[in-house]
Amino acid sequence: MGAPHGHKLHFHGHSWLHRLPAHVKLVALVAFMLTVVATPRDWYPVFAGYFLMLVALVAISHVPPTYLAKRMVVEVPFVVFAALLPFVATGPQVEVLGLSLSEQGLLGAWGLLVKGTLGVLASLLLAATTEPGALLAGLERLRMPPLLVQIMGFMIRYLDVVTDELRRMHVARESRGFSARDPRQWPVIAKSAGVLFIRSYERGERVHLAMLSRGYDGRMPR
Amino acid sequence: MHVPDGFLDAPTSVATGVVAAVGIGLALRGARRELDDRTAPLAGLVATFIFATQMLNFPIGAGTSGHLIGGALAAVLVGPATALLCMSVVFLVQCLLFADGGITALGTNIFLMGIVTVVVGWAVFRGLQMVLPQRVSSVPAAAAGAALVSVPVAALAFVGLYAVGGTVDIPLAGLTAAMLSVHALIGLGEAAITFLAVGSIVAVRPDLVYGARRVLATRSLVLRTAGR
């Protein structure tokens, strides 16, 4: 259960990192994260190095650190999970503040936290410095199948339209005195989901017809 | 919740990435059959719908709430191949634009919450459809069954992956029990909401529901004259 989505993470800017082609940034992100994941978790100085590298990149990008910090909330679910690890993992126990914790679990929680946090920070930086359109072009250059690029393009284009529709339905429900407290209200919310599907699907059909009338033949013009 | 970076080791992440890529490759062919040249705009809008539905919170009580994963729901609404494409694109966008789910765990997330829920959901749906009466009204029930089974199976698949490539030793029996009991509950919620949502769509536009097409094709026109 992730944190709420719905705001664009892009931070407008003209830094060197902003101007770098998206496919280069994507490949760099994947390579960096694979390296991080493969690094043994007790190589503490190496993780400090990774972190400093990201901090340097943030500084170059001119994205305010507070902007990124606010968006780090997506990592809350796995921080909770990491906090539980020392209590459930097996192996030799250590005494910390009067609590008996698993040594393996503590190390595991550290590994999960540091790798996960590096991942979230690196992904946020990519999202903050790359516009969705550039990202699509980058994925296309990296040979992602064209149909998948098109689907993703439509999704990004209509993301705000559909989520706004959902918000209007929410406002309409609330303004009629509806308030969701427990499962007795599920039928109403599920009906909203049903209506949203019908509206989205019909919008898709209209978009398709509009594209056909402009000469669409299964490929996107450049 | 999405699997973050560093949760599973690198070989497991790469292996699930390959499985996800193969699954998407097969789905790309299948979607052409389900939607022909309408694939791109329609799958795009359905992906947006899935994304939005995951933002729709269902209150459980005591201030907590949950949301749908939507794999089984998508499979019933638009067919398994298109559903798989939509789910994959949703995870890709969540990973790249919202930093939700690690980039190295993208294959794992697509495999667990995309491929497993869609394939299992669709298989259960078709199985139930053969058993239940051939009526439009049994489509929501079959969809609910699909949602109910798909969530715990995805949790089991996660435990399986964790046994192979987990980075911390947790007693597997305990992990299995915890994951299964929690996800059985989540599955119940998913089933209830899928039932209600599919029911509301089938009541208004049964022609849009991929899983209802077979039943609609066999339905014949009934003329009812008034007063007799």
Side-chain angles (χ1 to χ4, degrees):
Chain A
M1 266 163 254
H5 302 115
H7 46 262
K8 283 234 167 68
L9 290 188
H10 181 250
F11 186 86
H12 186 74
H14 301 280
S15 71
W16 169 78
L17 205 57
H18 278 85
R19 283 196 310 268
L20 205 63
H23 57 279
V24 176
K25 282 188 268 191
L26 276 166
V27 171
L29 176 69
V30 173
F32 175 70
M33 282 323 297
L34 276 178
T35 320
V36 168
V37 170
T39 309
R41 53 188 172 227
D42 47 359
W43 291 12
Y44 306 110
V46 179
F47 286 109
Y50 293 150
F51 185 70
L52 284 179
M53 220 171 99
L54 281 184
V55 168
L57 284 176
V58 171
I60 291 173
S61 72
H62 295 297
V63 177
T66 47
Y67 180 87
L68 294 175
K70 265 186 257 165
R71 280 150 186 85
M72 298 286 284
V73 287
V74 288
E75 68 165 344
V76 166
F78 77 78
V79 169
V80 172
F81 183 86
L84 287 175
L85 271 182
F87 298 97
V88 295
T90 51
Q93 304 279 310
V94 283
E95 198 86 359
V96 181
L97 300 171
L99 288 169
S100 173
L101 300 176
S102 156
E103 233 179 274
Q104 264 276 323
L106 276 178
L107 197 58
W110 149 259
L112 191 60
L113 271 183
V114 75
K115 288 178 183 179
T117 307
L118 283 170
V120 171
L121 193 57
S123 303
L124 280 176
L125 194 59
L126 171 81
T129 58
T130 318
E131 284 194 42
L135 204 60
L136 281 172
L139 286 169
E140 198 163 20
R141 290 200 86 167
L142 292 172
R143 302 279 143 119
M144 190 161 102
L147 189 57
L148 216 52
V149 175
Q150 280 187 41
I151 296 175
M152 190 173 161
F154 279 105
M155 174 172 173
I156 290 173
R157 184 168 301 175
Y158 288 100
L159 201 60
D160 286 341
V161 177
V162 173
T163 48
D164 274 350
E165 194 141 40
L166 191 67
R167 192 164 45 240
R168 284 196 297 278
M169 283 154 76
H170 175 80
V171 170
R173 280 198 308 267
E174 304 264 305
S175 61
R176 284 162 178 75
F178 176 82
S179 98
R181 272 184 304 272
D182 55 57
R184 273 175 300 173
Q185 279 93 38
W186 283 7
V188 175
I189 308 178
K191 266 183 201 121
S192 303
V195 170
L196 191 69
F197 172 74
I198 294 171
R199 288 188 186 172
S200 303
Y201 199 95
E202 287 178 343
R203 189 184 294 278
E205 286 176 334
R206 288 197 302 277
V207 170
H208 175 243
L209 288 178
M211 284 160 66
L212 283 185
S213 66
R214 287 163 179 78
Y216 176 71
D217 60 351
R219 276 167 308 156
M220 291 302 263
R222 297 195 171 265
Chain B
M1 123 181 187
H2 294 52
V3 177
D5 287 305
F7 205 86
L8 299 170
D9 60 12
T12 316
S13 305
V14 172
T16 51
V18 171
V19 174
V22 172
I24 292 172
L26 292 175
L28 280 171
R29 288 181 179 196
R32 284 262 181 226
R33 241 180 299 122
E34 280 165 12
L35 288 175
D36 53 71
D37 74 328
R38 298 178 303 160
T39 304
L42 274 177
L45 263 302
V46 173
T48 320
F49 159 74
I50 296 289
F51 180 89
T53 314
Q54 290 186 352
M55 288 167 49
L56 202 58
N57 279 318
F58 288 84
I60 297 164
T64 54
S65 62
H67 69 80
L68 279 181
I69 303 175
L73 175 68
V76 172
L77 290 181
V78 292
T82 312
L84 184 56
L85 287 186
C86 296
M87 295 299 281
S88 306
V89 168
V90 167
F91 292 124
L92 187 62
V93 168
Q94 284 176 342
C95 168
L96 290 178
L97 293 182
F98 297 92
D100 198 2
I103 182 109
T104 58
L106 181 62
T108 313
N109 282 321
I110 290 178
F111 172 70
L112 287 175
M113 289 186 283
I115 296 180
V116 172
T117 56
V118 167
V119 170
V120 170
W122 182 249
V124 172
F125 177 77
R126 288 294 299 138
L128 283 176
Q129 240 186 354
M130 281 175 207
V131 184
L132 292 170
Q134 299 289 314
R135 279 201 303 266
V136 174
S137 57
S138 50
V139 169
L148 180 69
V149 178
S150 70
V151 177
V153 171
L156 266 187
F158 171 78
V159 173
L161 285 182
Y162 199 85
V164 178
T167 47
V168 186
D169 286 323
I170 303 177
L172 271 186
L175 181 66
T176 315
M179 285 294 282
L180 268 188
S181 54
V182 169
H183 284 86
L185 284 178
I186 297 178
L188 277 177
E190 181 107 3
I193 294 155
T194 304
F195 176 82
L196 293 166
V198 173
S200 76
I201 298 167
V202 154
V204 189
R205 291 289 304 267
D207 56 313
L208 292 190
V209 181
Y210 185 85
R213 278 187 200 171
R214 227 175 272 259
V215 192
L216 286 180
T218 59
R219 201 161 67 165
S220 55
L221 187 66
V222 181
L223 288 180
R224 287 181 195 157
T225 41
R228 233 164 289 175

